[in-house]
Amino acid sequence: AQKVTQAQTEISVVEKEDVTLDCVYETRDTTYYLFWYKQPPSGELVFLIRRNSFDEQNEISGRYSWNFQKSTSSFNFTITASQVVDSAVYFCALSEVRYTGANSKLTFGKGITLSVRP
Amino acid sequence: DAGVIQSPRHEVTEMGQEVTLRCKPISGHDYLFWYRQTMMRGLELLIYFNNNVPIDDSGMPEDRFSAKMPNASFSTLKIQPSEPRDSAVYFCASSLWGYGYTFGSGTRLTVV
């Protein structure tokens, strides 16, 4: 069975600090996708990134970066120079990939509440 | 594209009443998912469809919950009768074969 663990529940930082959100996953599949979603106070779920299990390259998008390490089953998310607008709940998620390449369900972690203080 | 559209955004109902939540997926997407979000259980999958056919309904909590997808552009999640413990935010998401998932804005259900 799939499982996503986000051990941190709440993180509070001061604006301009860097912050890393941890994600550890479990799956028996060799092919899978990993995701990060952001849920701001308004409540919607905003897609941030998708990574497939064969691509371990780190990715950077502006102030956001992701570190994928299959050896430790981790997919961590770092926000550099955090801003108040980054305050939200962040979810890591995992999905299997069927042998046909088709989608399967997303399994979410419990989420990390990030508060960025001015 | 208008994205995944859910209605209503908020629903307040009395215990015992029937509640129907609606979802219009992104045109062309062949997968549709219903998730429920609560403080205690987080985001959990209730059911998902592929080409309008239910694939996995193991997350549906009990017989009071039912979901249908009569065509590629519409799905409903029905609770009958509703109970206070059904209070949650219900998300619909759609995806295209092999690609990412797009979520709707959610329906906040309160059962009093």
Side-chain angles (χ1 to χ4, degrees):
Chain A
Q2 302 175 113
K3 185 177 179 182
V4 176
T5 302
Q6 297 181 263
Q8 305 150 310
T9 54
E10 294 185 18
I11 299 175
S12 182
V13 299
V14 177
E15 207 169 19
K16 296 182 185 171
E17 282 186 29
D18 298 348
V19 57
T20 295
L21 311 181
D22 298 333
C23 173
V24 173
Y25 62 92
E26 295 175 30
T27 179
R28 290 183 213 166
D29 296 326
T30 55
T31 305
Y32 50 88
Y33 287 108
L34 294 163
F35 299 78
W36 276 94
Y37 281 86
K38 174 182 179 179
Q39 187 173 43
S42 52
E44 70 271 26
L45 283 163
V46 179
F47 167 81
L48 295 178
I49 190 172
R50 183 182 86 148
R51 216 62 185 154
N52 76 54
S53 53
F54 296 111
D55 183 0
E56 286 193 73
Q57 277 194 331
N58 291 334
E59 180 151 344
I60 298 174
S61 176
R63 297 183 297 107
Y64 295 170
S65 62
W66 291 269
N67 183 292
F68 176 28
Q69 292 194 344
K70 285 180 79 169
S71 61
T72 56
S73 297
S74 65
F75 186 45
N76 297 337
F77 173 29
T78 297
I79 302 174
T80 303
S82 59
Q83 299 177 1
V84 173
V85 293
D86 296 327
S87 297
V89 181
Y90 291 86
F91 292 95
C92 181
L94 167 71
S95 77
E96 304 168 330
V97 178
R98 297 280 180 250
Y99 67 90
T100 59
N103 281 352
S104 179
K105 64 180 183 180
L106 271 176
T107 299
F108 284 88
K110 295 293 188 186
I112 302 169
T113 300
L114 174 65
S115 298
V116 182
R117 309 187 305 277
Chain B
D1 199 329
V4 177
I5 299 172
Q6 291 187 247
S7 63
R9 288 297 308 274
H10 302 274
E11 177 82 34
V12 180
T13 190
E14 291 187 351
M15 182 174 63
Q17 296 297 306
E18 177 179 295
V19 176
T20 299
L21 310 181
R22 297 173 176 78
C23 176
K24 177 178 168 55
I26 291 175
S27 177
H29 280 193
D30 52 354
Y31 284 83
L32 184 137
F33 303 80
W34 282 101
Y35 281 85
R36 178 172 69 175
Q37 184 177 30
T38 60
M39 289 295 293
M40 290 298 295
R41 301 175 67 90
L43 276 157
E44 53 181 344
L45 177 71
L46 299 178
I47 185 171
Y48 77 95
F49 297 82
N50 177 219
N51 291 323
N52 313 338
V53 176
I55 302 300
D56 182 352
D57 65 355
S58 59
M60 296 287 261
E62 47 198 275
D63 292 347
R64 297 185 298 106
F65 285 70
S66 63
K68 292 182 180 179
M69 192 165 185
N71 57 61
S73 59
F74 184 65
S75 176
T76 60
L77 178 67
K78 188 174 294 187
I79 309 172
Q80 165 64 20
S82 57
E83 296 183 4
R85 59 193 168 119
D86 301 331
S87 297
V89 180
Y90 291 81
F91 286 100
C92 176
S94 71
S95 69
L96 181 61
W97 188 96
Y99 291 87
Y101 306 75
T102 303
F103 284 79
S105 299
T107 295
R108 182 173 296 277
L109 173 65
T110 303
V111 183
V112 298

